């Protein structure tokens, strides 16, 4: 009992220290000064929207100011991005998205240049993966089965993605690595793909693994393989080999959540936002919620964020050119 209490006390002190560390930055900048909008370019029900709501609730408790999640999937995310890009650079309107915005730029979905037309105030590495999923009654048991079906019937197997987004890149990598020709279908956000997959409107889809597993557990879907920035298995789905592990070694694609504001934000506001988001992501209670979602997050140090994004941007640009998506 004593050890348990000591551990809880240490966690509480650690959390308090993180939150206190963010207070000077917030006090210096005056951020947040009223309600903050976290604009999410996706429908409610997907992994990004769920993550935004967890973070918003924690930030509201930490700062005492309202944090409102605004789901705006219009134009495949274009409307949300433009809303933030044209907002006042005071940090009160922020984009809560992921590094898929780089893919959107390099495929022409958005004209704005993410690394120039936005300010990236915070970044968080997503420990989860994406799933290549099918309906539970599908005849395909693994990636090779799906590829064989596509080879036997070129363009006859529908693969749901969000066109010009990260999942489109993942599908393109699978097609390049396997030589199979899938019929790529714009199935919208992850929430939309889940509905269409269960309704047999599409044969397979690229969907975040965390959101897919509950449907696997209910017996509605099956995961053929997972996709991440590395070839290893997702700890949340240890019995499912990754797509790379099944022989498609170049099908690697990782994501970071990005907190972006308009260009021209001042350093004090950026520092305050970074400290606040880093603090809540490092909070054990918040971390536990993301573990429950099977989507562990790790705050990326501010001094490493720019170089990491530039490296990712270069790889995405190269992949877009190879796939003919640019």
């Amino acid at each position: 009992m004593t050890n348990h209490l000591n551990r809880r006390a240490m966690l509480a002190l650690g959390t308090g220290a993180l939150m206190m560390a963010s207070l000077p930055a917030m006090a210096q900048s005056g951020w947040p000064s009223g309600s903050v909008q976290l604009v999410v370019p996706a429908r409610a029900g997907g992994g990004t929207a769920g993550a935004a709501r967890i973070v918003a609730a924690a930030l509201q408790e930490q700062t005492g100011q309202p944090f409102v999640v605004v789901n705006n999937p219009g134009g495949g995310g274009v409307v949300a991005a433009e809303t933030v890009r044209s907002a006042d650079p005071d940090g009160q309107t922020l984009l809560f998205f992921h590094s898929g915005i780089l893919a959107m730029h390099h495929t022409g979905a958005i004209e704005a240049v993410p690394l120039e037309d936005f300010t990236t105030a915070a970044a968080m590495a997503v420990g989860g993966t994406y799933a290549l999923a099918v309906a539970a009654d599908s005849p395909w048991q693994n990636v090779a089965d799906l590829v064989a079906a596509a080879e036997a019937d070129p363009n006859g197997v529908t693969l749901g993605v969000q066109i010009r987004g990260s999942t489109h890149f993942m599908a393109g990598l699978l097609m390049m690595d396997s030589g199979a020709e899938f019929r790529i279908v714009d199935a919208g956000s992850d929430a939309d793909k889940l509905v269409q997959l269960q309704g047999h409107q599409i044969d397979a889809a690229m969907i975040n693994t965390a959101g897919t597993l509950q449907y696997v557990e209910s017996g509605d879907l099956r995961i053929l393989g997972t996709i991440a920035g590395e070839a290893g298995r997702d700890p949340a789905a240890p019995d499912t080999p990754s797509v790379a592990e099944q022989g498609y070694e170049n099908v690697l694609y990782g994501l970071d959540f990005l907190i972006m504001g308009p260009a021209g934000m001042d350093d004090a506001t950026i520092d305050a936002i970074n400290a606040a988001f880093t603090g809540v992501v490092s909070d054990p209670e918040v971390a536990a919620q993301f573990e429950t979602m099977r989507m562990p997050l790790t705050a990326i140090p501010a001094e490493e964020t720019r170089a990491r994004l530039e490296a990712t941007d270069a790889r995405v640009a190269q992949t877009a050119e190879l796939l003919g998506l640019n």
Side-chain angles (χ1 to χ4, degrees):
M1 177 65 75
T2 300
N3 289 339
H4 178 65
L5 290 173
N6 286 342
R7 182 174 180 273
R8 290 186 63 184
M10 290 175 67
L11 286 174
L13 286 171
T15 301
L18 283 167
M19 291 189 174
M20 287 298 292
S22 69
L23 291 178
M26 286 188 285
Q28 182 180 359
S29 71
W31 182 91
S33 58
S35 179
V36 177
Q37 286 193 343
L38 298 183
V39 184
V40 179
R43 298 183 188 278
T48 303
R53 294 188 186 283
I54 290 174
V55 171
L59 285 168
Q60 184 163 308
E61 182 177 355
Q62 174 183 320
T63 65
Q65 298 287 352
F67 278 75
V68 182
V69 175
V70 180
N71 294 100
N72 192 337
V78 176
V79 176
E82 286 302 307
T83 297
V84 174
R85 186 169 76 101
S86 60
D88 290 334
D90 55 8
Q92 300 300 123
T93 303
L94 298 170
L95 188 70
F96 191 110
F97 198 29
H98 50 63
S99 45
I101 193 172
L102 303 175
M104 292 173 66
H105 167 65
H106 286 293
T107 57
I110 59 172
E111 293 184 5
V113 181
L115 297 185
E116 296 178 9
D117 296 331
F118 294 88
T119 300
T120 303
M124 298 157 283
V126 183
T129 64
Y130 263 73
L132 175 55
V134 298
D137 59 1
S138 165
W140 307 312
Q141 301 298 317
N142 52 46
V143 180
D145 288 346
L146 180 68
V147 167
E151 289 176 334
D153 183 15
N155 293 309
V157 177
T158 54
L159 180 55
V161 303
Q162 188 165 35
I163 292 294
R164 299 185 181 276
S166 297
T167 52
H168 194 175
F169 273 64
M170 296 175 198
L173 291 172
L174 178 60
M175 290 171 63
M176 287 177 59
D177 226 30
S178 67
E181 294 183 25
F182 294 94
R183 180 156 64 91
I184 301 299
V185 176
D186 187 359
S189 68
D190 284 350
D192 296 322
K193 287 180 236 170
L194 286 166
V195 172
Q196 294 177 54
L197 201 54
Q198 292 175 85
H200 297 88
Q201 295 163 285
I202 52 179
D203 297 317
M206 301 287 192
I207 313 174
N208 79 83
T209 303
T212 307
L213 282 172
Q214 60 182 306
Y215 295 92
V216 173
E217 293 164 357
S218 66
D220 295 310
L221 300 180
R222 177 188 304 129
I223 297 176
L224 303 183
T226 57
I227 300 170
E230 299 178 352
R233 298 189 182 193
D234 188 334
D239 296 328
T240 303
S242 68
V243 173
E245 185 182 347
Q246 294 180 57
Y248 308 94
E249 298 177 356
N250 294 313
V251 186
L252 301 172
Y253 199 105
L255 290 177
D256 295 333
F257 279 138
L258 304 176
I259 310 304
M260 309 179 85
M265 291 172 60
D266 64 78
D267 290 343
T269 300
I270 296 170
D271 290 345
I273 294 171
N274 187 279
F277 277 85
T278 298
V280 297
V281 169
S282 304
D283 182 338
E285 291 186 7
V286 175
Q289 292 182 67
F290 280 109
E291 288 289 347
T292 300
M293 286 181 66
R294 299 169 173 136
M295 189 187 291
L297 299 184
T298 304
I300 299 170
E303 62 272 16
E304 297 177 13
T305 297
R306 182 72 187 187
R308 182 182 177 101
L309 283 178
E310 288 177 348
T312 301
D313 187 66
R315 182 172 183 268
V316 168
Q318 181 182 30
T319 305
E321 184 174 358
L322 288 172
L323 296 177
L325 296 176
N326 58 348

